[in-house]
């Protein structure tokens, strides 16, 4: 994934709202290193660049669910302003407005993260249809490689006799445990 030195990983912020992968305006602002109001001003000043399907204005129900599921949204609990969620297309369009070098690097990271999540989803969805064990192993290996590219080290937990990888993309939750066979350690 592209380096955005000093910035959080984009994958940490991807959520699913109304069956779409999105980033909330405040998370977009954090990634771009600007205030949330600057992101929303860019949208307000360029309405023709954000047709339907590019943005989702959250309802009170959406906002309540965010606050209940994610601690980082506790500050919006009593806000009178409804957050905006950017779909992938909306994020691409926002990138045409924000022009700083930092914005360019952040946009590259966002594009790559969404592409990796799509590739991972496609790879995993193929698994049930594959009957040959060697092809399944190859797809599982590729899935692991994609996860490694998207994830940070915190998703991997290693103990004495097992390794667990757990990922929650809000799109899907993946947990895979590898147990070592103690009989083979001789």
């Amino acid at each position: 994934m592209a380096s955005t030195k000093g910035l959080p990983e984009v994958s940490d912020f991807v959520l699913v709202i109304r069956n779409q992968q999105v980033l909330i305006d405040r998370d977009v602002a954090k990634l771009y290193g600007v205030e949330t109001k600057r992101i929303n001003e860019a949208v307000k000043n360029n309405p023709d660049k954000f047709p339907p399907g590019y943005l989702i204005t959250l309802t009170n129900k959406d906002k309540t669910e965010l606050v209940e599921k994610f601690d980082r949204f506790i500050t919006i609990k009593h806000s009178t302003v409804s957050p905006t969620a950017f779909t992938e297309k909306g994020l691409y369009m926002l990138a045409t407005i924000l022009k700083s070098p930092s914005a360019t690097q952040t946009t590259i990271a966002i594009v790559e993260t969404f592409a990796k999540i799509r590739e991972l989803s496609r790879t995993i969805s193929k698994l049930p249809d594959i009957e040959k064990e060697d092809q399944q192993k190859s797809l599982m290996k590729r899935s692991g490689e994609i996860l490694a590219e998207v994830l940070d080290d915190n998703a991997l937990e290693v103990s004495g006799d097992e390794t667990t990888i757990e990922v929650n993309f809000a799109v899907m939750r993946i947990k895979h445990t590898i147990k070592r066979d103690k009989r083979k350690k001789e």
Side-chain angles (χ1 to χ4, degrees):
M1 186 165 358
S3 172
T4 53
K5 293 179 182 171
L7 294 176
E9 290 293 323
V10 174
S11 60
D12 294 342
F13 297 115
V14 178
L15 303 172
V16 175
I17 295 177
R18 300 185 204 155
N19 296 318
Q20 292 194 62
Q21 294 177 4
V22 298
L23 291 177
I24 303 299
D25 54 4
R26 62 183 281 140
D27 291 339
V28 173
K30 185 180 285 186
L31 289 166
Y32 280 108
V34 298
E35 294 177 12
T36 305
K37 68 181 181 179
R38 298 295 171 231
I39 296 296
N40 292 320
E41 282 173 359
V43 171
K44 183 180 175 185
N45 293 335
N46 297 278
D48 56 317
K49 292 192 176 202
F50 298 95
Y54 284 58
L55 301 172
I56 298 172
T57 301
L58 274 58
T59 63
N60 284 334
K61 180 183 174 192
D62 295 327
K63 187 168 77 167
T64 300
E65 287 179 17
L66 277 181
V67 171
E68 288 173 358
K69 290 181 183 178
F70 303 97
D71 291 340
R72 73 178 189 262
F73 294 118
I74 194 72
T75 58
I76 66 170
K77 184 175 185 174
H78 300 292
S79 173
T80 57
V81 178
S82 293
T84 301
F86 286 81
T87 65
E88 187 174 357
K89 293 184 284 186
L91 289 164
Y92 294 152
M93 194 56 72
L94 183 62
T96 68
I97 299 169
L98 304 174
K99 301 287 186 182
S100 73
S102 172
T104 300
Q105 288 303 307
T106 300
T107 300
I108 290 169
I110 289 169
V111 169
E112 289 183 11
T113 298
F114 273 96
K116 293 293 181 196
I117 291 172
R118 269 194 317 278
E119 183 181 356
L120 177 62
S121 179
R122 282 192 307 267
T123 302
I124 290 173
S125 69
K126 290 179 187 176
L127 279 171
D129 300 330
I130 304 295
E131 293 183 18
K132 292 184 179 182
E133 189 175 334
D134 61 328
Q135 290 176 336
Q136 283 181 340
K137 285 182 180 179
S138 176
L139 277 178
M140 286 301 292
K141 181 180 179 189
R142 181 62 191 137
S143 296
E145 290 168 355
I146 296 167
L147 281 171
E149 291 172 16
V150 173
L151 301 176
D152 62 300
D153 294 334
N154 295 332
L156 184 64
E157 182 182 314
V158 180
S159 67
D161 61 350
E162 69 182 38
T163 302
T164 301
I165 300 171
E166 185 169 355
V167 183
N168 186 351
F169 283 119
V171 184
M172 67 182 112
R173 184 174 183 206
I174 301 168
K175 184 173 183 177
H176 182 70
T177 301
I178 303 165
K179 295 188 179 202
R180 290 171 211 36
D181 189 347
K182 293 179 181 179
R183 293 174 287 172
K184 294 181 181 181
K185 287 187 174 180
E186 300 170 10

